[in-house]
Amino acid sequence: MKLHYNVCIIAYMYLRETRQKRADGSLVTHLQLAESVWNPHKKRSEVRIVYNCGRADEPQSAERLRQLARSILKRCAPEELVEQAPQWRLVDAWPYGALYALEAIWHRLGIGEVISQELASRKVDFAVERALFAMVANRACAPSSKLYCYDQWLREDVRIEQTDTLALHHLYRAMDLLEAHKDAIEQALYFRLADLLTLDVELIFYDTTSLHFEIDEIDQGDDEDDVVEGSMAAGAKTYQAPRKRGLSKNGRSDAPQIVIGLAVTRDGLPVRHWVFPGNTVDVSTVAQVKDDLRGWKLSRCVFVGDAGMVSQDNLTKLSESGGKYILCMPMRRGDEVTHEVLQRPGRYQKVADNLRVKEVVVGEGERRRRYVVCHNPDEEKRQRAHRRQVLDELEAELSSLHEVRGESHSKRVCQLRASRRYGRYLRLSKGGLLRIDAAKRRLEEQLDGKFVVHSNDDSLTPADLALGYKQLQRVEEAWRTLKSGLRLRPVYHWAVHRIHAHVALSVLALLLERVIEQACGDTWRNIRADLEQIKLAQLLSPHGEVWQVTEPSPDAANHLKCLEIKNPPAVLHLA
């Protein structure tokens, strides 16, 4: 028996596309697994079809190819391919996971869509939405100036889709456009989030903070009304000169500042923000805030504020049109709260381990006023321990003073009397000597661990009022995040419209962080650290370029699962 051998040498195997034109003119593409072989007898290469994968537009065909690729990689790992092909080169790698999550939430909340809709009437020659997202992501991941964001962060540190064509002036123009349409964007975004996240807006928490600038001179307006104008690109708005000296909440009364107001929901999500001149006092901001929120037509909104918001004009303003409020009352003004509410006997009701409440009603009929005295035993112990320490320090200071009856006060005596820490416990004797005031000490002891809440909403129980006010800490948490995590300052802008836009970008970043924190049950700092382990790598080979994403770690994968975000694709780009 003779055996005949046909010698065939396989050159390589590849995926082949064939196109077929139909009678109606449409094209149908078929995928085939083919191999190119060399026929030594005919001295030419020949194509042999190994397997027909089906039509390219059918999902089943793509799934079959994915299964084939996975089975091949089980036998031949990608790193082995790279090792055997030294012409492969790793160009660079960048953190990718945090940006991937931020962009997914950005699109889920519809922020980019809202911005595009509001700016549809403006003719621009660059991607405004991409520029704004880049600046918001920069505040969340590596807060810095806009110049550094463009020159270093976008060019060297990260890769964000469709930002490679942006120039520095595009970032500034995007800020101007944001400021021009800020009110409409905030309102449209609020209504979208209210439906998407089912926001609880029955309680709106409001508070203010100050933000100082490293400058010497305050801003001066162009006329006696002290107003300045923004740029045409930013809507040609008029503003009160922003940077003024006033009561600083971070101990920098020597520097010009602005005052920022922020309204958040019970869950800590920012609803709206305001920027006021630096010499604005808290009580004077309430009227504008109430009017702005009324324009949003909230079904039922209870305004929650601290003692700095309390004045008779504000109480009247908040009550207009059936408005409801919960306010913490000052306890040391010598008014109704001091003499009638705090002195009224009664039994406390336990709400929690560290909270007791007692309801006090002053007056009768429609003009009656409802207060709730709240007591925290743990805070009482802390305040008493702190007072003992302060008084011990004060006694040591007084014993070291060399005072002579009838002589003028020394500089140290004046400092002690003016001190916010020691001054409240001091008095001058008949001879002009400095002494600890026992009556003031007893009065402070009566207030240990207490705060008084006042409301005009009779549908809320005393426990609801106390717990509702304690949730005002959500705003305090927002301020801490804005100032430390998002680095709201230093502000590298001097134009008033850019200062307003800078605050708006920071509030948008705060919104993304809060949504992510609620879904994952962890702080953004920890979540970001886990997600940044996901890297984006750029690889070069003789056949082209590959952008590949590393596999998420278990912690990063768990965060993405909590956010209901799919793991990033293994390959982002092939060229």
Side-chain angles (χ1 to χ4, degrees):
M1 183 175 57
K2 294 182 179 180
L3 296 177
H4 299 278
Y5 296 94
N6 293 325
V7 180
C8 282
I9 302 175
I10 299 177
Y12 62 92
M13 188 174 291
Y14 62 97
L15 188 65
R16 181 187 184 192
E17 290 185 358
T18 59
R19 292 177 176 83
Q20 178 183 6
K21 188 173 183 180
R22 290 184 170 183
D24 58 1
S26 61
L27 288 176
V28 178
T29 303
H30 294 271
L31 299 176
Q32 299 170 326
L33 189 62
E35 60 180 0
S36 177
V37 298
W38 178 259
N39 190 327
H41 300 296
K42 296 182 179 181
K43 300 185 182 299
R44 67 180 183 183
S45 62
E46 297 178 349
V47 176
R48 185 167 61 189
I49 305 301
V50 178
Y51 181 72
N52 289 311
C53 301
R55 289 172 47 172
D57 57 352
E58 291 180 347
Q60 297 86 348
S61 301
E63 180 59 29
R64 283 192 289 265
L65 289 174
R66 280 193 288 268
Q67 292 178 357
L68 176 62
R70 284 193 292 266
S71 63
I72 292 173
L73 291 176
K74 288 180 181 178
R75 298 293 182 182
C76 184
E79 54 270 20
E80 295 179 357
L81 294 176
V82 175
E83 290 178 359
Q84 295 174 4
Q87 61 271 30
W88 281 81
R89 183 166 59 91
L90 175 63
V91 178
D92 206 343
W94 303 270
Y96 180 71
L99 287 172
Y100 176 72
L102 286 170
E103 186 157 14
I105 300 300
W106 174 274
H107 290 302
R108 180 184 301 173
L109 300 182
I111 300 177
E113 184 179 348
V114 168
I115 292 173
S116 299
Q117 289 175 353
E118 294 298 332
L119 300 181
S121 60
R122 302 290 294 263
K123 294 182 179 180
V124 292
D125 56 356
F126 68 101
V128 179
E129 182 269 341
R130 290 287 81 194
L132 291 175
F133 172 74
M135 290 184 285
V136 170
N138 173 253
R139 300 236 68 81
C141 296
S144 56
S145 68
K146 307 304 178 293
L147 177 59
Y148 185 91
C149 173
Y150 167 76
D151 212 24
Q152 174 66 32
W153 195 68
L154 284 177
R155 286 188 171 186
E156 304 292 340
D157 298 344
V158 297
R159 286 295 180 268
I160 299 178
E161 188 178 3
Q162 298 178 14
T163 60
D164 52 334
T165 59
L166 293 177
L168 177 61
H169 69 91
H170 290 150
L171 301 187
Y172 292 132
R173 287 174 60 192
M175 293 179 68
D176 295 344
L177 292 170
L178 174 64
E179 172 59 18
H181 300 269
K182 180 179 65 178
D183 294 339
I185 290 174
E186 274 191 325
Q187 184 171 1
L189 188 58
Y190 162 75
F191 286 115
R192 180 182 288 265
L193 296 181
D195 295 334
L196 182 64
L197 304 179
T198 61
L199 295 183
D200 180 4
V201 293
E202 288 196 351
L203 291 180
I204 293 295
F205 301 91
Y206 173 75
D207 198 6
T208 63
T209 192
S210 58
L211 188 69
H212 71 274
F213 291 74
E214 303 293 345
I215 58 176
D216 295 326
E217 301 298 328
I218 63 174
D219 291 335
Q220 297 288 349
D222 298 330
D223 52 24
E224 59 183 11
D225 295 329
D226 201 24
V227 298
V228 294
E229 293 185 358
S231 69
M232 291 293 295
K237 299 179 181 179
T238 58
Y239 309 84
Q240 291 291 321
R243 295 178 291 187
K244 301 286 187 178
R245 287 187 174 86
L247 178 62
S248 176
K249 296 190 176 183
N250 59 350
R252 288 300 305 270
S253 299
D254 61 309
Q257 64 179 20
I258 60 173
V259 173
I260 304 174
L262 183 66
V264 304
T265 67
R266 189 196 300 266
D267 298 322
L269 297 177
V271 174
R272 188 165 183 173
H273 75 278
W274 296 262
V275 179
F276 304 101
N279 56 2
T280 306
V281 294
D282 289 352
V283 292
S284 63
T285 67
V286 174
Q288 179 180 343
V289 172
K290 182 67 187 306
D291 291 340
D292 291 344
L293 290 179
R294 184 191 295 120
W296 286 16
K297 299 178 181 179
L298 302 177
S299 58
R300 180 178 184 269
C301 173
V302 181
F303 183 92
V304 184
D306 64 7
M309 312 293 173
V310 176
S311 70
Q312 188 57 49
D313 291 340
N314 282 344
L315 295 180
T316 302
K317 184 68 177 180
L318 291 172
S319 301
E320 290 178 355
S321 304
K324 305 298 181 182
Y325 59 81
I326 300 174
L327 293 175
C328 182
M329 303 298 291
M331 297 187 296
R332 297 176 176 85
R333 288 183 177 177
D335 55 4
E336 180 178 88
V337 175
T338 305
H339 297 298
E340 296 190 47
V341 177
L342 289 171
Q343 302 299 327
R344 182 79 60 88
R347 186 184 299 273
Y348 284 98
Q349 296 179 354
K350 185 176 181 180
V351 177
D353 292 338
N354 61 344
L355 183 61
R356 304 188 302 163
V357 298
K358 176 178 66 176
E359 184 174 11
V360 177
V361 178
V362 179
E364 297 180 355
E366 294 183 357
R367 300 182 65 85
R368 68 188 182 92
R369 295 167 299 283
R370 184 174 177 230
Y371 299 90
V372 175
V373 181
C374 308
H375 177 242
N376 184 338
D378 296 338
E379 182 65 14
E380 179 183 12
K381 295 177 182 178
R382 189 197 67 81
Q383 290 180 357
R384 290 194 173 181
H386 178 262
R387 183 180 299 105
R388 284 195 297 269
Q389 178 183 353
V390 171
L391 291 176
D392 290 342
E393 295 174 1
L394 188 54
E395 288 177 353
E397 287 283 353
L398 295 179
S399 63
S400 66
L401 294 176
H402 299 286
E403 296 181 292
V404 180
R405 184 185 300 271
E407 292 189 0
S408 60
H409 300 306
S410 65
K411 183 177 180 180
R412 183 54 183 158
V413 170
C414 295
Q415 289 176 342
L416 289 175
R417 293 188 64 190
S419 170
R420 298 179 64 180
R421 180 178 178 87
Y422 302 119
R424 68 176 65 181
Y425 302 111
L426 292 173
R427 66 177 178 85
L428 284 178
S429 66
K430 293 181 179 180
L433 301 180
L434 208 56
R435 297 290 182 263
I436 293 178
D437 192 330
K440 291 182 179 179
R441 181 178 60 185
R442 288 192 296 270
L443 178 61
E444 291 295 324
E445 289 175 351
Q446 294 176 3
L447 303 179
D448 284 344
K450 294 180 181 177
F451 60 94
V452 178
V453 176
H454 171 50
S455 176
N456 65 341
D457 192 341
D458 293 335
S459 66
L460 298 176
T461 66
D464 291 337
L465 295 178
L467 295 175
Y469 170 71
K470 284 179 70 68
Q471 288 180 329
L472 189 63
Q473 65 179 345
R474 297 295 188 186
V475 190
E476 299 297 334
E477 294 172 357
W479 291 136
R480 283 194 294 271
T481 301
L482 283 169
K483 290 187 174 183
S484 58
L486 296 174
R487 296 185 188 175
L488 187 57
R489 66 163 310 277
V491 182
Y492 300 97
H493 304 283
W494 62 268
V496 58
H497 53 279
R498 297 273 171 81
I499 294 173
H500 282 243
H502 170 77
V503 176
L505 291 172
S506 300
V507 173
L508 282 175
L510 175 66
L511 173 63
L512 296 181
E513 287 192 11
R514 284 291 179 265
V515 172
I516 293 174
E517 287 175 344
Q518 286 184 14
C520 297
D522 201 351
T523 64
W524 167 245
R525 182 179 63 180
N526 294 338
I527 298 169
R528 182 181 62 197
D530 292 334
L531 291 176
E532 285 182 345
Q533 301 304 313
I534 303 176
K535 306 294 184 181
L536 174 63
Q538 181 186 10
L539 298 161
L540 288 182
S541 76
H543 305 291
E545 182 183 62
V546 179
W547 291 75
Q548 188 172 4
V549 180
T550 61
E551 185 177 351
S553 65
D555 290 335
N558 184 56
H559 291 319
L560 294 177
K561 182 178 180 181
C562 292
L563 292 169
E564 298 181 356
I565 300 174
K566 294 182 179 179
N567 289 349
V571 177
L572 287 187
H573 178 69
L574 289 172

